[in-house]
Amino acid sequence: MAALAATYGFRGATAEEMITEAVARAGDREADAFLSALADRIAVVLAVVAALVDPPLVVLAGELAQAGGQVLRDLVTEAFHRNTPLRTPVEVTSLTDDAVLLGAMDAGLRSVRESLIDSLRYALTPA
């Protein structure tokens, strides 16, 4: 990420700072080129994952996605749709916590609840 940003003249202490600066300078040739290059890289990964999983929605999470906000989201969506026939919507999360961990915990809890309910159903069914 830092090497890509440096290619377009962006330097900062963190990747988030570089993306935030590029978003603030949106409309500038170098900023737009950097954000487009970043979006293209993200879109390639999304295309692979979406082709395998076929999710109803792709949610960009983490510090980089939040730093890029709607500007990066729009560029990622455009690149994603340009590189795949899938039209999966792309959004940026507003959660500042670890969205992946929270989602995994929710899915795990749902699975455990369903298993418990199923086991109770079978235990209470007369033989």
Side-chain angles (χ1 to χ4, degrees):
M1 173 55 219
L4 178 65
T7 302
Y8 295 96
F10 290 92
R11 289 176 177 55
T14 66
E16 297 85 26
E17 285 180 15
M18 292 178 259
I19 292 172
T20 299
E21 180 186 346
V23 168
R25 290 177 35 195
D28 173 73
R29 189 173 54 91
E30 291 298 316
D32 290 349
F34 165 54
L35 291 171
S36 290
L38 177 60
D40 285 342
R41 285 165 172 76
I42 294 169
V44 167
V45 175
L46 291 183
V48 171
V49 172
L52 294 172
V53 180
D54 191 23
L57 173 69
V58 171
V59 179
L60 303 176
E63 294 84 9
L64 301 183
Q66 289 191 340
Q70 299 305 313
V71 171
L72 183 60
R73 191 251 358 229
D74 292 346
L75 292 168
V76 168
T77 301
E78 179 184 313
F80 177 64
H81 291 168
R82 185 175 59 244
N83 293 309
T84 180
L86 302 172
R87 292 298 172 253
T88 309
V90 178
E91 292 297 335
V92 177
T93 184
S94 60
L95 295 176
T96 56
D97 291 333
D98 190 345
V100 174
L101 177 61
L102 294 173
M105 287 175 42
D106 183 59
L109 286 171
R110 189 175 319 120
S111 178
V112 168
R113 282 187 198 112
E114 289 171 5
S115 293
L116 286 171
I117 290 169
D118 285 345
S119 68
L120 286 173
R121 263 192 219 125
Y122 292 121
L124 297 175
T125 304

PDB file of all heavy atoms in Angstrom, residues 58-73:
ATOM      1  N   VAL A  58     -21.345  -6.931  -0.652  1.00  0.00           N
ATOM      2  CA  VAL A  58     -19.938  -6.884  -0.250  1.00  0.00           C
ATOM      3  C   VAL A  58     -19.781  -5.658   0.638  1.00  0.00           C
ATOM      4  O   VAL A  58     -20.191  -4.559   0.263  1.00  0.00           O
ATOM      5  CB  VAL A  58     -18.998  -6.766  -1.463  1.00  0.00           C
ATOM      6  CG1 VAL A  58     -17.571  -6.491  -1.022  1.00  0.00           C
ATOM      7  CG2 VAL A  58     -19.061  -8.017  -2.319  1.00  0.00           C
ATOM      8  N   VAL A  59     -19.207  -5.857   1.813  1.00  0.00           N
ATOM      9  CA  VAL A  59     -19.001  -4.756   2.744  1.00  0.00           C
ATOM     10  C   VAL A  59     -17.500  -4.552   2.928  1.00  0.00           C
ATOM     11  O   VAL A  59     -16.791  -5.454   3.349  1.00  0.00           O
ATOM     12  CB  VAL A  59     -19.667  -5.029   4.113  1.00  0.00           C
ATOM     13  CG1 VAL A  59     -19.411  -3.875   5.072  1.00  0.00           C
ATOM     14  CG2 VAL A  59     -21.158  -5.272   3.946  1.00  0.00           C
ATOM     15  N   LEU A  60     -17.044  -3.361   2.575  1.00  0.00           N
ATOM     16  CA  LEU A  60     -15.643  -3.003   2.779  1.00  0.00           C
ATOM     17  C   LEU A  60     -15.498  -2.530   4.220  1.00  0.00           C
ATOM     18  O   LEU A  60     -16.236  -1.653   4.662  1.00  0.00           O
ATOM     19  CB  LEU A  60     -15.228  -1.894   1.812  1.00  0.00           C
ATOM     20  CG  LEU A  60     -15.408  -2.185   0.324  1.00  0.00           C
ATOM     21  CD1 LEU A  60     -15.049  -0.953  -0.497  1.00  0.00           C
ATOM     22  CD2 LEU A  60     -14.575  -3.377  -0.091  1.00  0.00           C
ATOM     23  N   ALA A  61     -14.556  -3.122   4.927  1.00  0.00           N
ATOM     24  CA  ALA A  61     -14.379  -2.785   6.339  1.00  0.00           C
ATOM     25  C   ALA A  61     -12.913  -2.492   6.618  1.00  0.00           C
ATOM     26  O   ALA A  61     -12.043  -2.777   5.797  1.00  0.00           O
ATOM     27  CB  ALA A  61     -14.860  -3.951   7.208  1.00  0.00           C
ATOM     28  N   GLY A  62     -12.669  -1.925   7.760  1.00  0.00           N
ATOM     29  CA  GLY A  62     -11.306  -1.649   8.183  1.00  0.00           C
ATOM     30  C   GLY A  62     -10.935  -0.191   7.991  1.00  0.00           C
ATOM     31  O   GLY A  62     -11.686   0.606   7.423  1.00  0.00           O
ATOM     32  N   GLU A  63      -9.762   0.119   8.466  1.00  0.00           N
ATOM     33  CA  GLU A  63      -9.296   1.507   8.460  1.00  0.00           C
ATOM     34  C   GLU A  63      -9.144   2.066   7.053  1.00  0.00           C
ATOM     35  O   GLU A  63      -9.460   3.225   6.798  1.00  0.00           O
ATOM     36  CB  GLU A  63      -7.970   1.639   9.214  1.00  0.00           C
ATOM     37  CG  GLU A  63      -8.057   1.367  10.701  1.00  0.00           C
ATOM     38  CD  GLU A  63      -7.957  -0.122  11.031  1.00  0.00           C
ATOM     39  OE1 GLU A  63      -7.650  -0.934  10.136  1.00  0.00           O
ATOM     40  OE2 GLU A  63      -8.215  -0.475  12.194  1.00  0.00           O
ATOM     41  N   LEU A  64      -8.640   1.247   6.124  1.00  0.00           N
ATOM     42  CA  LEU A  64      -8.436   1.732   4.756  1.00  0.00           C
ATOM     43  C   LEU A  64      -9.763   2.045   4.083  1.00  0.00           C
ATOM     44  O   LEU A  64      -9.907   3.076   3.423  1.00  0.00           O
ATOM     45  CB  LEU A  64      -7.657   0.708   3.930  1.00  0.00           C
ATOM     46  CG  LEU A  64      -6.271   0.334   4.441  1.00  0.00           C
ATOM     47  CD1 LEU A  64      -5.599  -0.635   3.489  1.00  0.00           C
ATOM     48  CD2 LEU A  64      -5.418   1.559   4.650  1.00  0.00           C
ATOM     49  N   ALA A  65     -10.737   1.167   4.254  1.00  0.00           N
ATOM     50  CA  ALA A  65     -12.050   1.389   3.645  1.00  0.00           C
ATOM     51  C   ALA A  65     -12.710   2.624   4.243  1.00  0.00           C
ATOM     52  O   ALA A  65     -13.303   3.430   3.518  1.00  0.00           O
ATOM     53  CB  ALA A  65     -12.936   0.165   3.847  1.00  0.00           C
ATOM     54  N   GLN A  66     -12.599   2.783   5.549  1.00  0.00           N
ATOM     55  CA  GLN A  66     -13.218   3.948   6.174  1.00  0.00           C
ATOM     56  C   GLN A  66     -12.504   5.237   5.791  1.00  0.00           C
ATOM     57  O   GLN A  66     -13.141   6.266   5.629  1.00  0.00           O
ATOM     58  CB  GLN A  66     -13.285   3.768   7.684  1.00  0.00           C
ATOM     59  CG  GLN A  66     -14.314   2.706   8.035  1.00  0.00           C
ATOM     60  CD  GLN A  66     -14.650   2.636   9.491  1.00  0.00           C
ATOM     61  OE1 GLN A  66     -13.900   3.105  10.334  1.00  0.00           O
ATOM     62  NE2 GLN A  66     -15.791   2.060   9.796  1.00  0.00           N
ATOM     63  N   ALA A  67     -11.195   5.169   5.617  1.00  0.00           N
ATOM     64  CA  ALA A  67     -10.459   6.363   5.184  1.00  0.00           C
ATOM     65  C   ALA A  67     -10.874   6.749   3.768  1.00  0.00           C
ATOM     66  O   ALA A  67     -10.985   7.926   3.445  1.00  0.00           O
ATOM     67  CB  ALA A  67      -8.951   6.111   5.246  1.00  0.00           C
ATOM     68  N   GLY A  68     -11.113   5.754   2.929  1.00  0.00           N
ATOM     69  CA  GLY A  68     -11.526   6.022   1.550  1.00  0.00           C
ATOM     70  C   GLY A  68     -12.983   6.402   1.418  1.00  0.00           C
ATOM     71  O   GLY A  68     -13.364   7.104   0.479  1.00  0.00           O
ATOM     72  N   GLY A  69     -13.803   5.943   2.355  1.00  0.00           N
ATOM     73  CA  GLY A  69     -15.224   6.298   2.382  1.00  0.00           C
ATOM     74  C   GLY A  69     -15.954   6.026   1.079  1.00  0.00           C
ATOM     75  O   GLY A  69     -15.659   5.077   0.358  1.00  0.00           O
ATOM     76  N   GLN A  70     -16.914   6.894   0.799  1.00  0.00           N
ATOM     77  CA  GLN A  70     -17.761   6.720  -0.378  1.00  0.00           C
ATOM     78  C   GLN A  70     -16.986   6.902  -1.678  1.00  0.00           C
ATOM     79  O   GLN A  70     -17.327   6.292  -2.695  1.00  0.00           O
ATOM     80  CB  GLN A  70     -18.951   7.693  -0.325  1.00  0.00           C
ATOM     81  CG  GLN A  70     -19.855   7.499   0.885  1.00  0.00           C
ATOM     82  CD  GLN A  70     -20.381   6.074   1.007  1.00  0.00           C
ATOM     83  OE1 GLN A  70     -20.844   5.492   0.046  1.00  0.00           O
ATOM     84  NE2 GLN A  70     -20.299   5.512   2.205  1.00  0.00           N
ATOM     85  N   VAL A  71     -15.946   7.728  -1.645  1.00  0.00           N
ATOM     86  CA  VAL A  71     -15.136   7.938  -2.858  1.00  0.00           C
ATOM     87  C   VAL A  71     -14.497   6.617  -3.274  1.00  0.00           C
ATOM     88  O   VAL A  71     -14.604   6.189  -4.426  1.00  0.00           O
ATOM     89  CB  VAL A  71     -14.057   9.025  -2.626  1.00  0.00           C
ATOM     90  CG1 VAL A  71     -13.089   9.089  -3.798  1.00  0.00           C
ATOM     91  CG2 VAL A  71     -14.713  10.377  -2.394  1.00  0.00           C
ATOM     92  N   LEU A  72     -13.842   5.952  -2.329  1.00  0.00           N
ATOM     93  CA  LEU A  72     -13.204   4.676  -2.629  1.00  0.00           C
ATOM     94  C   LEU A  72     -14.253   3.623  -2.952  1.00  0.00           C
ATOM     95  O   LEU A  72     -14.073   2.827  -3.870  1.00  0.00           O
ATOM     96  CB  LEU A  72     -12.320   4.224  -1.460  1.00  0.00           C
ATOM     97  CG  LEU A  72     -11.534   2.937  -1.680  1.00  0.00           C
ATOM     98  CD1 LEU A  72     -10.592   3.071  -2.872  1.00  0.00           C
ATOM     99  CD2 LEU A  72     -10.761   2.566  -0.428  1.00  0.00           C
ATOM    100  N   ARG A  73     -15.354   3.611  -2.224  1.00  0.00           N
ATOM    101  CA  ARG A  73     -16.427   2.651  -2.487  1.00  0.00           C
ATOM    102  C   ARG A  73     -16.923   2.761  -3.924  1.00  0.00           C
ATOM    103  O   ARG A  73     -17.095   1.768  -4.623  1.00  0.00           O
ATOM    104  CB  ARG A  73     -17.589   2.874  -1.525  1.00  0.00           C
ATOM    105  CG  ARG A  73     -18.629   1.773  -1.529  1.00  0.00           C
ATOM    106  CD  ARG A  73     -19.996   1.989  -2.107  1.00  0.00           C
ATOM    107  NE  ARG A  73     -20.363   3.258  -2.630  1.00  0.00           N
ATOM    108  CZ  ARG A  73     -21.478   3.882  -2.317  1.00  0.00           C
ATOM    109  NH1 ARG A  73     -22.290   3.386  -1.422  1.00  0.00           N
ATOM    110  NH2 ARG A  73     -21.788   5.010  -2.902  1.00  0.00           N
TER     111      ARG A  73
END
